[in-house]
């Protein structure tokens, strides 16, 4: 049974279209019954260049060529200037262009093409993009290629925005055919046309794309599961920490999701996963920050938590709000990091908050800076963080979905936790009784002018930037984003967020103020009570669990890190480095040369009869070559003569040694 007969049996030709091309819906039967191109001159095994697009004629011809067991070279009109090069490189026998069939005489052959012809298999030749030179031909066995599609999968509606000569385009076409799906080919291959086509025909972009992209964002923006590297990156200088953790590196994953908004907007599953991961990150990172004693690590985990807010805002299709919070976060988080650097500098590189305290009188300027940054971080009214953080939580509530509600309440709880550890930092560092070395506190000094000036600039940004830019970033109808962000109309919730109940709008502020009050009250008045709770079995286990960072580090080290390290030790180090490389590398080569040199030196025995025998063999071979070589030249190999000479020489040597 040929391919077309097989597809006719599995495909439902009556109920739905197969191809939507230039706004025309075609059934599979329409494709098969398309005006047939005369392929009489095409023979099995011929290399056929098919110039076309995803129209009915090209698809029909493609299927017929597969049935004929030809080797197909799909090309497009866009590559017209390089067609001659493609014909020559692929050894094309027949060219099909605009319904016309033209034969080319090929004198050359290629062993891979001949192998396909001997197997009677159809083939596919595709060309690389040519980024490292001229495009290179890649030969595929079409018969083996089609075996991947033997088991039908659920029906899909797929948009084919790739070109006819691209492996992705061919794969999408064949995948859709075998799964009884619908191929949607946009008129133009620009972003606007593709998005309009997706919306018009309700194309569901494969969620795998968005999920795989999000895996990269998880690692880059320290989301739950791959977040453990972020606090460990605090070992560098504080200005570097401020740069990479406030404005550049860790926000790259969030920016990736924002710029890939067209993909996520057509994948509901991916958006749900992004929302859940972001909400869990905001909560888990906040709880870990509650028990950290390193000044910079507290701020690092707050970064991780705020990145969770940005991510789940993306999952709720509010990319502009996420970007707004990203920009606002850069100001107050850089302020916190640089202020922490001022404290560390004043205390001779001390970072443990348990060895600080009483710095309010010594470092008043730094105290004000950290206080402003912490208030902006917790979303205190009318500071920069308030204008973006509260909007994130309001749109989560206005989503009116299960994952939106989940993100909203975890976000509100995380806001209270953020306020708690922020004021814990302030209390232990500045307000509590001095607990460090006396000489360190006595010699402490506030930030000098080169350190104080950036703090002041960031402080101004942490107070005013949110208010000044909110209409620019998230105002209804703002032209700022132009076409940089795409949001599906059914996912718009900004207007709904304006009409949420008043108590929902005030809830994050109330929870944050409550968390700050509990923190100051607990550490000032209830220190003994906290100590008593922490030494109890339940309290101790809970504290240990948080202090060990929810055991994420342990799990990654034991389940992933140790396995990879052991595998690397046993393979890369023991087997390759200390095995194969040593055997065939410099040491092995040196050992072999020593042995070979010793054997060669043994030939210099000083025995006259050995030298005479060697000279006799050489003269005999030379005379044989002169006299008899013209006769036996066609049947005697020169290399064989050399082997015989060397063999006789060493035989003579070993016979002499035995005697």
């Amino acid at each position: 049974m040929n391919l077309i007969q097989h597809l006719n049996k599995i495909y439902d030709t009556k109920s739905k279209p197969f191809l939507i091309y230039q706004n025309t819906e075609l059934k599979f039967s329409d494709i098969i019954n398309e005006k047939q191109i005369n392929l009489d001159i095409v023979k099995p095994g011929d290399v056929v260049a098919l110039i076309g697009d995803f129209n009915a004629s090209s698809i029909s011809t493609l299927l017929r060529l597969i049935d004929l067991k030809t080797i197909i070279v799909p090309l497009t009109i866009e590559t017209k200037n390089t067609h001659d090069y493609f014909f020559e490189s692929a050894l094309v026998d027949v060219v099909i262009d605009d319904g016309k069939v033209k034969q080319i005489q090929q004198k050359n052959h290629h062993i891979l093409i001949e192998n396909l012809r001997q197997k009677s298999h159809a083939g596919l030749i595709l060309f690389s993009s040519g980024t490292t030179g001229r495009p290179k031909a890649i030969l595929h066995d079409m018969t083996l290629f089609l075996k991947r599609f033997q088991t039908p999968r659920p029906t899909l509606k797929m948009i084919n925005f790739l070109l006819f000569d691209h492996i992705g385009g061919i794969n999408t076409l064949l995948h859709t055919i075998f799964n009884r799906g619908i191929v949607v080919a946009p008129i133009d291959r620009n972003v606007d046309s593709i998005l309009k086509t997706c919306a018009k025909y309700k194309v569901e972009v494969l969620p795998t794309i968005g999920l795989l992209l999000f895996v990269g964002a998880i690692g880059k923006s320290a989301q739950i599961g791959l977040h453990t590297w972020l606090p460990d990156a605090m070992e560098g200088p504080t200005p570097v920490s401020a740069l990479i953790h406030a404005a550049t590196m860790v926000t790259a994953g969030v920016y990736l999701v924002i710029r890939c908004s067209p993909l996520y907007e057509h994948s509901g599953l991916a958006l749900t996963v992004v929302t859940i991961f972001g909400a869990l990150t905001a909560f888990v990172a906040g709880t870990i920050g509650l028990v950290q004693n390193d000044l910079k690590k507290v701020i690092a985990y707050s970064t991780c938590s705020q990145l969770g807010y940005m991510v789940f805002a993306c999952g709720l299709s509010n990319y502009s709000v996420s970007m707004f919070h990203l920009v606002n976060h850069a100001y107050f988080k850089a302020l916190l990091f640089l202020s922490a650097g001022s404290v560390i500098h004043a205390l001779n590189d001390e970072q443990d908050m348990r060895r600080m305290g009483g710095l309010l009188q010594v470092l008043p300027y730094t105290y004000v800076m950290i206080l402003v940054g912490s208030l902006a971080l917790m979303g205190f009214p009318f500071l920069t963080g308030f204008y973006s953080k509260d909007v994130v939580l309001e749109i989560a509530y206005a989503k009116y979905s299960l994952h939106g509600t989940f993100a909203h309440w975890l976000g509100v709880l995380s806001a209270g936790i953020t306020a708690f550890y922020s004021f814990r930092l302030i209390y232990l560092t500045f307000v509590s009784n001095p607990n460090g070395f006396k000489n360190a506190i006595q010699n402490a000094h506030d930030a000098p002018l080169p350190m104080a000036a950036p703090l002041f600039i960031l402080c101004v940004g942490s107070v005013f930037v949110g208010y000044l830019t909110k209409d620019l970033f998230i105002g209804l109808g703002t032209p700022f984003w132009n076409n940089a962000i795409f949001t599906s109309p059914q996912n718009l919730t900004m207007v709904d967020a304006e009409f949420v109940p008043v108590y929902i709008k005030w809830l994050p502020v109330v929870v944050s103020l409550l968390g700050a009050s509990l923190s100051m009250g607990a550490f000032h008045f209830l220190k003994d009570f906290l100590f008593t709770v922490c030494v109890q079995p339940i309290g101790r286990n809970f504290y240990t669990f948080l202090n060990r960072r929810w055991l994420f580090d342990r799990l990654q080290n034991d389940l992933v890190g140790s396995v990879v390290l052991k595998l690397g030790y046993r393979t890369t180090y023991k087997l390759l480095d200390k095995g194969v490389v040593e055997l065939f590398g410099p040491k092995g080569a040196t050992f072999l040369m020593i042995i070979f040199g010793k054997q060669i030196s043994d030939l210099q025995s000083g025995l006259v009869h050995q030298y005479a025998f060697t000279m006799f063999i050489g003269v005999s071979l030379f005379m044989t070559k002169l006299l008899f070589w013209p006769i036996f030249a066609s049947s005697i190999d020169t290399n064989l003569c050399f082997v015989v000479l060397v063999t006789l020489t060493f035989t003579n040597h070993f016979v002499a040694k035995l005697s």
Side-chain angles (χ1 to χ4, degrees):
M1 184 185 301
N2 60 27
L3 177 63
I4 295 178
Q5 291 176 346
H6 173 70
L7 294 175
N8 266 324
K9 291 185 72 174
I10 68 170
Y11 209 92
D12 186 0
T13 59
K14 297 180 180 179
S15 61
K16 63 179 182 180
F18 156 70
L19 174 68
I20 301 175
Y21 182 78
Q22 294 185 347
N23 296 326
T24 302
E25 297 186 0
L26 300 172
K27 296 179 181 179
F28 188 73
S29 57
D30 299 328
I31 302 294
I32 302 305
N33 298 326
E34 174 70 16
K35 182 180 178 181
Q36 300 289 312
I37 296 175
N38 189 0
L39 300 179
D40 292 340
I41 66 173
V42 181
K43 305 183 299 295
D46 282 350
V47 181
V48 182
L50 178 59
I51 303 171
D53 198 355
F54 293 103
N55 51 41
S57 177
S58 297
I59 295 175
S60 176
T61 306
L62 177 70
L63 297 178
R64 291 172 62 199
L65 291 174
I66 295 174
D67 274 343
L68 284 173
K69 308 297 183 184
T70 62
I71 300 167
I72 307 161
V73 186
L75 299 172
T76 60
I77 300 174
E78 287 82 352
T79 59
K80 185 177 180 179
N81 296 330
T82 54
H83 280 178
D84 291 339
Y85 168 74
F86 293 151
F87 298 161
E88 182 181 353
S89 300
L91 304 177
V92 171
D93 301 304
V94 180
V95 178
I96 302 176
D97 185 11
D98 195 22
K100 301 177 182 178
V101 184
K102 177 184 177 183
Q103 196 167 18
I104 301 176
Q105 294 291 340
Q106 283 290 349
K107 298 180 180 180
N108 300 323
H109 301 277
H110 197 280
I111 186 171
L112 296 179
I113 296 176
E114 294 298 329
N115 289 339
L116 280 183
R117 289 170 176 167
Q118 292 175 6
K119 296 177 183 177
S120 297
H121 284 191
L124 179 68
I125 296 179
L126 299 172
F127 282 85
S128 65
S129 59
T131 54
T132 58
R134 305 196 73 178
K136 302 168 183 66
I138 301 98
L139 178 63
H140 303 268
D141 190 330
M142 180 62 84
T143 304
L144 299 178
F145 189 76
L146 294 176
K147 287 184 178 180
R148 301 189 304 151
F149 309 113
Q150 288 181 349
T151 304
R153 300 176 184 177
T155 302
L156 297 170
K157 185 184 291 182
M158 302 183 66
I159 186 164
N160 203 341
F161 56 86
L162 297 169
L163 294 174
F164 192 63
D165 60 350
H166 194 280
I167 183 64
I170 297 293
N171 186 71
T172 302
L173 173 68
L174 296 174
H175 180 87
T176 310
I177 290 176
F178 278 84
N179 292 323
R180 303 184 294 274
I182 302 173
V183 177
V184 182
I187 299 175
D188 300 312
R189 289 179 173 86
N190 56 64
V191 176
D192 291 337
S193 177
I194 292 171
L195 293 178
K196 289 178 181 178
T197 305
C198 288
K200 181 177 180 179
Y201 296 104
K202 298 180 179 178
V203 177
E204 177 78 6
V205 177
L206 288 178
T208 311
I209 301 173
L211 292 176
L212 291 177
L213 282 172
F214 185 57
V215 171
I218 289 174
K220 193 65 176 176
S221 289
Q223 298 299 287
I224 188 170
L226 297 178
H227 67 282
T228 56
W229 66 268
L230 190 144
D232 294 334
M234 296 294 102
E235 301 300 329
T238 304
V240 176
S241 302
L243 179 64
I244 65 175
H245 286 262
T248 55
M249 188 176 70
V250 296
T251 56
V254 180
Y255 184 76
L256 171 68
V257 177
I258 294 172
R259 293 292 287 145
C260 293
S261 57
L263 289 174
Y264 288 96
E265 286 301 287
H266 292 92
S267 179
L269 176 60
L271 286 176
T272 302
V273 172
V274 171
T275 304
I276 293 172
F277 264 80
L280 288 174
T281 303
F283 174 73
V284 171
T287 58
I288 298 174
L290 287 173
V291 297
Q292 296 301 308
N293 297 311
D294 189 302
L295 182 62
K296 291 178 66 177
K297 280 193 176 182
V298 175
I299 305 173
Y301 276 108
S302 77
T303 299
C304 191
S305 182
Q306 296 305 305
L307 289 170
Y309 281 95
M310 303 173 202
V311 167
F312 83 68
C314 292
L316 299 170
S317 300
N318 282 273
Y319 307 97
S320 59
V321 177
S322 176
M323 195 67 185
F324 183 40
H325 191 55
L326 188 153
V327 173
N328 291 348
H329 171 264
Y331 285 96
F332 57 75
K333 189 51 57 73
L335 175 62
L336 285 171
F337 268 115
L338 292 180
S339 299
S342 177
V343 174
I344 295 169
H345 173 73
L347 297 179
N348 296 325
D349 299 331
E350 180 60 68
Q351 295 186 203
D352 196 331
M353 294 186 298
R354 294 170 297 182
R355 297 179 181 177
M356 299 180 185
L359 298 179
L360 177 59
Q361 304 297 325
V362 183
L363 309 175
Y365 181 80
T366 304
Y367 167 74
V368 173
M369 297 296 107
I370 284 189
L371 180 62
V372 172
S374 299
L375 290 173
L377 172 64
M378 60 181 274
F380 191 81
F382 311 115
L383 295 184
T384 291
F386 169 77
Y387 292 99
S388 55
K389 191 174 182 179
D390 276 33
V391 175
V392 171
L393 297 175
E394 288 171 13
I395 61 175
Y397 184 87
K399 189 69 176 179
Y400 300 113
S401 62
L402 183 61
H403 63 278
T405 304
F406 174 79
H408 172 261
W409 289 109
L410 269 189
V412 170
L413 185 58
S414 301
I417 293 172
T418 300
F420 189 95
Y421 64 65
S422 296
F423 274 81
R424 172 178 176 266
L425 182 151
I426 292 173
Y427 181 85
L428 293 179
T429 306
F430 295 95
V431 181
S432 65
N433 295 324
N435 200 34
F437 295 104
K438 184 178 180 181
N439 61 340
I441 296 178
Q442 286 179 339
N443 296 326
H445 56 87
D446 217 332
L449 183 60
M451 297 175 65
L455 296 181
F456 179 77
I457 297 172
L458 293 170
C459 179
V460 173
S462 300
V463 175
F464 296 107
V465 165
Y467 173 75
L468 295 175
T469 61
K470 60 182 177 63
D471 291 330
L472 178 68
F473 279 99
I474 61 174
L476 294 177
T478 175
F480 180 77
W481 300 109
N482 198 10
N483 296 322
I485 294 174
F486 171 77
T487 305
S488 181
Q490 62 264 26
N491 292 333
L492 293 172
T493 55
M494 186 62 74
V495 176
D496 297 321
E498 294 292 327
F499 298 98
V500 299
V502 176
Y503 74 90
I504 294 295
K505 291 179 176 291
W506 281 100
L507 186 60
V509 177
V510 173
V511 172
S512 295
L513 293 175
L514 182 62
S517 302
L518 286 175
S519 177
M520 297 297 290
F523 286 99
H524 190 73
F525 300 106
L526 302 174
K527 287 189 290 186
D528 295 336
F529 174 75
L530 288 176
F531 178 78
T532 304
V533 171
C534 289
V535 297
Q536 297 297 321
I538 297 176
R540 184 173 64 251
N541 292 335
F542 182 69
Y543 182 88
T544 302
F545 178 72
L546 295 181
N547 197 43
R548 292 184 177 179
R549 299 178 266 193
W550 287 55
L551 303 178
F552 277 107
D553 297 62
R554 180 72 177 273
L555 291 173
Q556 288 187 359
N557 291 335
D558 291 348
L559 298 181
V560 180
S562 62
V563 174
V564 174
L565 287 173
K566 288 179 181 179
L567 180 64
Y569 177 80
R570 293 169 181 171
T571 56
T572 307
Y573 180 72
K574 295 290 287 185
L575 180 62
L576 296 178
D577 192 20
K578 291 295 185 181
V580 177
V581 175
E582 291 290 349
L583 181 62
F584 298 101
K587 189 175 283 187
T590 302
F591 181 72
L592 291 175
M593 291 303 295
I594 290 173
I595 296 176
F596 184 72
K598 187 177 179 183
Q599 295 295 329
I600 294 295
S601 65
D602 289 343
L603 294 175
Q604 305 298 323
S605 61
L607 300 176
V608 177
H609 66 277
Q610 292 186 19
Y611 298 155
F613 180 77
T614 303
M615 293 172 64
F616 174 75
I617 294 295
V619 171
S620 300
L621 291 175
F622 181 73
M623 295 301 295
T624 302
K625 177 177 174 60
L626 289 178
L627 297 174
F628 301 104
W629 187 257
I631 302 173
F632 301 102
S634 59
S635 58
I636 299 178
D637 191 359
T638 308
N639 295 326
L640 181 63
C641 294
F642 177 77
V643 171
V644 171
L645 174 62
V646 174
T647 303
L648 290 174
T649 303
F650 276 91
T651 302
N652 175 50
H653 168 68
F654 288 117
V655 168
K657 288 188 70 175
L658 291 173
S659 62

